[in-house]
Amino acid sequence: MTNNPNKKERHFFLEKENKRIYCVEYIADPDRDNKQGIILCKPTWGERIRTHRIFTNLARMLREEGFNIISFDYFGDGNSGGDTLDLNFSGMVDDIVEVSKYLSSQHQVEFFSLIGLRIGANCAIKAEPKIKNLKRMILFEPISNPVEDLKVRLRANLSTQMAVHKKILKNRTVLIDEIKSGIPVNMDGFLIGKELWESFEQASPLEIESDFTGPVKIISLIEKNKKGKDFSKLAANYENGSSMVIEKEFIWTDWKYYIPNPPIFFKAVRSELHH
Amino acid sequence: MLCKEECIEFENKDGLLLRGILHHGNEVEHKKVSLICLNTGLNDMVGWHRLQVKVARFLADNGYNVLRFDDVGIGDSDGELDEESIVNIFASIETGLFILNADAAIDFTKKKFPDGKLVHLGFCGGGLTAFHSAATKRDVAGVIDIGGPVTLSSAEYLDKKDPWEVKKQVEKYKSKLFDPHPWIRFFTGKGEYSNIFKSVTHYVKHKVKGEYKDSLALENWNVDECKNLNKKFFHSFELYSKSKRPALFYFAELDSATWEFKKYFLWKYQCSKIWSDSVCSFIEIKGANHIFSGTESQQRLKYDILGWLKQFSR
C-alpha cells in the first residue's frame, strides 16, 4: 500500500529543487496538539544507523504528548537522495531549515524546538538563526571540532589497509591531501570528498555567536565513572544557555547493546521541553 | 538515470506496520524481476554504509525493482525488540526472527508486480532470513545470500575470540617476529599485552579442539558436534534446494563468516546433488571485508549481482 498522507505517522520524500529529503512526520492528534514543532537533527553515517531507532521512539513518545515532530535524513545520507559525496555541512543546515519550513507550512506549528545529537547538534546550532519561531534547542554531545573528528574517523581507512595489504600504504596525511585535491577517500564504506571536508573545516572549531534568547541546553552523555565533556563555556555563549551531564545509556560507535528507549535520555528531553 | 523511489508500507501477519522504500526499475529496460532486500542485524533499511541504497539504485537503473524496508522494532517500522543483548538478538535473527517480515514483503511485492519474479537479497543475517522465508514461500524464485554466517552469534564471536579472528591475529604477530619495532614497543611497556595473551591462548584452545583442521579431515564430522552451528539454516537451505531454485552465496575473503561457511557448509554441499540441481554458486571476493566497505569490492558486488540476475532472468 502506498503511504497515506492523512496518517499521523508518515514517511515521505520532501522534494526541494534537486533534493529528495527522506522524512518521517509524527503529527499530534488534534485534541492534544500543543502547536509546537520539533525537528530531530540526527547524526550521520554509522552514528545515524545506530541511533536512528532512538529518534523514532522519541518522536513517537513526543507525538503522544502533543508535539508535531519531523525526523529526517540529510541529503546524501540515510534514505535521502544523493550520494555521500553530496553531503556537506551547509547543505545539512539547509535541510533542517527546509524541513522546518515544510512543517510550518503543512501543520499549524507556532513554535519550534531543535533536538540534535553529535553533528546534528552542530547543524542545529548553525540552523538556529534561519529558523522562524524557534523556541529552544536541546543539544547532545555537539562535536567541538568536526574536521578533527573526521581525521580520527579516517582510522577506518588505515585499518582496512592493514587488513588488505598488511601495511599502511597511505597514512592519514596522504589521505587528507588526496581528499583536499579532489580524490574521494573511503571511510568505512562512505566516500569522503573535498566539498564535505572543506565544509567541515569551515565549521571547525565549533563556535557560537548568537543573539538567540530562547533556552539552550547542551548535554554531555557520560559513561559510568568517566568524566564527561564540559559544555558550560559553549552554553555561556547563549543568553539563556546552560549545560548538564547525564548518564550515557547508548553508544553510537558500535553495536554493543540495543537500547532503543533510553529512559534517562528521554527524561532529559521531556524535562527541557516541558520546562 | 534517477529511477522512481516510493515510500511504501505494509503489514506483517502480526498486524505490525513495516515502512520501506520501493525502487522502481528503469522502465526502458525493465526485467520483470523484483528483489527484496533483507537487512543485516539491527541496521535499518539503508544497510552498512548505505550499501543497500547503493545496490538498490544500481539495480533499479538496470531495470530491476528493489524493495527495502525496516524490520519490526528497527528504523521506522512498528513494534519493539524486547531484548538488549546484541548476541541474543543476532542469534534470534539468524534462526528466523524476521521471517514474518520477509513473507509480508513477498505478499506486498507480488501484489504490486503480479507478473514478475521475486528474488530475496539478504545481507549477513538477512541472508539467513532469505532462506528461512524462501524455504516455505515458493513465490521466491531465487536467493542471494551475502555473507550470511552459518554459526550462531555468540559472545565469543563478538569478543573477537572466534577461531578465524584469533588465527588472523596470531598470523599478524608472526609476520612481525623479525621486525624490531614491535619488540621495542613490547619491552618498553607499549605492547598490546592483553590482546596478544588473549589471541595466543584462544588460538591454542581452538587448535587443541581441532578447529583449524582441513575440511577434508572432517568428512566423518557430525553436525551435532558443533554446538554453535545454525542447524535451522542448514534445514532451510535443504528445504529450499529441494525445489531446485537457484542461489548465490556471495562472500568476502577477509571475513570469519566466509571461513566458517567454507568449513562447515561449502565442503558439505558443493559437490552434492542438491548444489548442482538447484544451481547454486559461490563467489568469494579477494580483499573484501564482511561489510564490503572497500570501494572496489562494492562495485564488484553490484556487477556480480547484476551478472547473476541476468543469467537468472534468462
Side-chain angles (χ1 to χ4, degrees):
Chain A
M1 114 183 86
T2 302
N3 210 337
N4 180 350
N6 298 317
K7 280 201 158 183
K8 297 299 173 193
E9 181 175 335
R10 184 176 79 98
H11 65 311
F12 63 100
F13 287 108
L14 178 63
E15 310 265 353
K16 185 70 186 171
E17 291 161 8
N18 293 325
K19 280 185 173 181
R20 305 187 82 220
I21 303 172
Y22 175 83
C23 299
V24 187
E25 65 179 6
Y26 306 80
I27 302 305
D29 292 330
D31 56 336
R32 289 190 182 184
D33 194 346
N34 63 14
K35 311 287 183 206
Q36 293 198 41
I38 296 173
I39 312 290
L40 300 179
C41 309
K42 294 183 291 190
T44 51
W45 306 314
E47 293 185 3
R48 172 216 167 271
I49 291 170
R50 288 181 281 271
T51 57
H52 181 77
R53 184 65 178 185
I54 293 171
F55 284 99
T56 301
N57 287 341
L58 176 67
R60 287 174 178 167
M61 182 186 76
L62 296 176
R63 190 193 87 80
E64 291 295 315
E65 295 177 10
F67 293 93
N68 300 281
I69 305 108
I70 286 210
S71 168
F72 71 100
D73 290 334
Y74 305 102
F75 183 74
D77 196 36
N79 289 307
S80 282
D83 300 322
T84 306
L85 285 173
D86 297 315
L87 195 69
N88 65 74
F89 191 80
S90 58
M92 291 159 71
V93 172
D94 289 345
D95 291 348
I96 297 175
V97 178
E98 285 309 322
V99 165
S100 73
K101 282 180 188 169
Y102 163 81
L103 195 55
S104 54
S105 70
Q106 297 296 310
H107 306 284
Q108 291 176 320
V109 171
E110 292 168 3
F111 299 107
F112 277 105
S113 296
L114 296 179
I115 299 176
L117 172 66
R118 300 275 295 153
I119 197 70
N122 294 56
C123 292
I125 288 168
K126 292 297 171 194
E128 168 259 302
K130 301 176 182 177
I131 294 186
K132 279 185 187 170
N133 301 323
L134 183 65
K135 188 178 181 185
R136 71 166 72 74
M137 292 198 286
I138 307 167
L139 309 168
F140 292 91
E141 292 283 328
I143 300 171
S144 55
N145 194 317
V147 81
E148 285 302 319
D149 187 64
L150 268 188
K151 285 179 191 171
V152 172
R153 286 164 182 252
L154 285 177
R155 189 193 299 129
N157 185 298
L158 304 178
S159 306
T160 306
Q161 290 184 50
M162 279 302 292
V164 176
H165 307 292
K166 310 268 187 279
K167 61 182 174 185
I168 303 288
L169 300 176
K170 293 175 183 175
N171 64 22
R172 211 176 244 125
T173 311
V174 174
L175 294 175
I176 293 168
D177 286 344
E178 284 195 352
I179 296 172
K180 286 180 170 177
S181 68
I183 302 168
V185 163
N186 189 306
M187 187 186 74
D188 233 358
F190 296 98
L191 279 182
I192 303 303
K194 186 181 179 186
E195 196 186 346
L196 179 114
W197 189 272
E198 287 177 350
S199 73
F200 271 48
E201 268 182 335
Q202 283 169 13
S204 302
L206 172 58
E207 286 171 344
I208 296 168
E209 271 182 60
S210 170
D211 51 8
F212 181 61
T213 56
V216 178
K217 184 72 92 182
I218 307 182
I219 301 171
S220 172
L221 305 175
I222 58 159
E223 289 172 53
K224 273 182 187 164
N225 305 322
K226 285 194 178 171
K227 208 178 162 195
K229 289 180 196 132
D230 180 7
F231 290 119
S232 58
K233 279 186 187 168
L234 201 64
N237 290 303
Y238 291 107
E239 188 181 318
N240 198 2
S242 61
S243 65
M244 68 185 272
V245 169
I246 63 170
E247 187 186 327
K248 187 177 186 179
E249 303 158 283
F250 56 91
I251 50 173
W252 43 79
T253 48
D254 205 354
W255 283 120
K256 287 223 166 97
Y257 34 80
Y258 192 51
I259 315 278
N261 288 292
I264 300 170
F265 180 83
F266 284 4
K267 189 179 167 193
V269 170
R270 292 181 71 238
S271 156
E272 291 305 314
L273 288 173
H274 295 292
H275 189 60
Chain B
M1 163 162 188
L2 188 62
C3 293
K4 184 183 165 194
E5 293 175 19
E6 179 189 8
C7 288
I8 53 90
E9 55 191 29
F10 52 91
E11 278 183 9
N12 72 7
K13 276 199 173 156
D14 285 338
L16 294 167
L17 198 66
L18 307 178
R19 296 186 170 83
I21 293 173
L22 179 62
H23 298 248
H24 289 262
N26 175 0
E27 286 177 6
V28 179
E29 44 181 314
H30 206 275
K31 305 290 194 302
K32 292 200 170 179
V33 176
S34 301
L35 291 100
I36 296 170
C37 278
L38 299 168
N39 306 327
T40 163
L42 290 161
N43 286 3
D44 67 332
M45 59 175 149
V46 307
W48 308 303
H49 53 82
R50 300 182 91 206
L51 183 60
Q52 286 165 220
V53 179
K54 296 176 224 177
V55 169
R57 286 180 181 162
F58 173 79
L59 294 176
D61 279 350
N62 283 281
Y64 297 91
N65 307 311
V66 184
L67 173 65
R68 299 185 290 117
F69 67 96
D70 288 334
D71 281 294
V72 163
I74 292 174
D76 295 319
S77 284
D78 284 356
E80 288 293 341
L81 296 175
D82 298 321
E83 172 68 63
E84 280 186 16
S85 158
I86 293 291
V87 170
N88 292 349
I89 296 174
F90 285 178
S92 298
I93 294 170
E94 287 153 7
T95 47
L97 178 68
F98 292 148
I99 293 175
L100 283 189
N101 305 338
D103 290 352
I106 293 169
D107 295 341
F108 170 84
T109 314
K110 257 171 55 189
K111 260 188 207 163
K112 193 92 180 171
F113 306 105
D115 302 330
K117 284 185 185 174
L118 289 182
V119 174
H120 272 334
L121 170 59
F123 296 80
C124 188
L128 309 181
T129 307
F131 278 106
H132 294 319
S133 161
T136 53
K137 283 274 192 179
R138 295 295 293 267
D139 301 303
V140 179
V143 167
I144 302 172
D145 169 1
I146 299 175
V150 296
T151 55
L152 294 171
S153 286
S154 65
E156 187 180 63
Y157 171 74
L158 287 185
D159 203 22
K160 296 193 180 301
K161 292 179 196 160
D162 61 286
W164 184 81
E165 194 68 47
V166 296
K167 192 177 177 205
K168 207 174 60 156
Q169 279 300 325
V170 168
E171 280 168 3
K172 192 178 100 181
Y173 296 136
K174 273 185 190 169
S175 73
K176 290 179 178 175
L177 272 179
F178 299 104
D179 180 350
H181 298 290
W183 287 108
I184 292 168
R185 277 203 300 276
F186 188 86
F187 288 115
T188 52
K190 294 172 188 165
E192 304 171 336
Y193 308 108
S194 66
N195 275 349
I196 295 170
F197 179 76
K198 191 173 84 173
S199 300
V200 172
T201 49
H202 281 91
Y203 179 75
V204 172
K205 193 182 93 179
H206 292 314
K207 197 159 177 90
V208 169
K209 275 174 70 182
E211 294 280 9
Y212 300 121
K213 279 182 186 167
D214 194 297
S215 296
L216 294 175
L218 295 166
E219 274 178 13
N220 298 322
W221 169 74
N222 181 349
V223 172
D224 294 328
E225 281 175 18
C226 180
K227 284 180 190 164
N228 209 31
L229 208 63
N230 185 349
K231 290 164 197 165
K232 188 165 178 188
F233 164 66
F234 281 68
H235 175 72
S236 292
F237 168 72
E238 287 182 9
L239 203 59
Y240 172 82
S241 313
K242 274 183 187 166
S243 53
K244 301 183 180 176
R245 288 172 284 171
L248 169 63
F249 293 95
Y250 201 84
F251 281 72
E253 180 198 13
L254 307 172
D255 183 7
S256 62
T258 309
W259 187 81
E260 290 176 343
F261 180 83
K262 289 198 283 192
K263 179 175 174 179
Y264 296 123
F265 186 91
L266 201 58
W267 78 272
K268 181 176 163 82
Y269 293 112
Q270 201 169 21
C271 299
S272 71
K273 200 166 178 305
I274 288 181
W275 188 270
S276 52
D277 278 357
S278 52
V279 202
C280 293
S281 332
F282 170 70
I283 298 176
E284 181 181 356
I285 302 303
K286 291 270 175 225
N289 58 15
H290 182 62
I291 64 169
F292 290 85
S293 64
T295 311
E296 282 174 24
S297 64
Q298 288 174 41
Q299 282 300 102
R300 176 85 194 270
L301 178 138
K302 289 193 280 192
Y303 280 97
D304 282 343
I305 292 175
L306 185 64
W308 186 85
L309 285 170
K310 278 180 180 169
Q311 278 188 330
F312 167 86
S313 308
R314 271 182 209 151

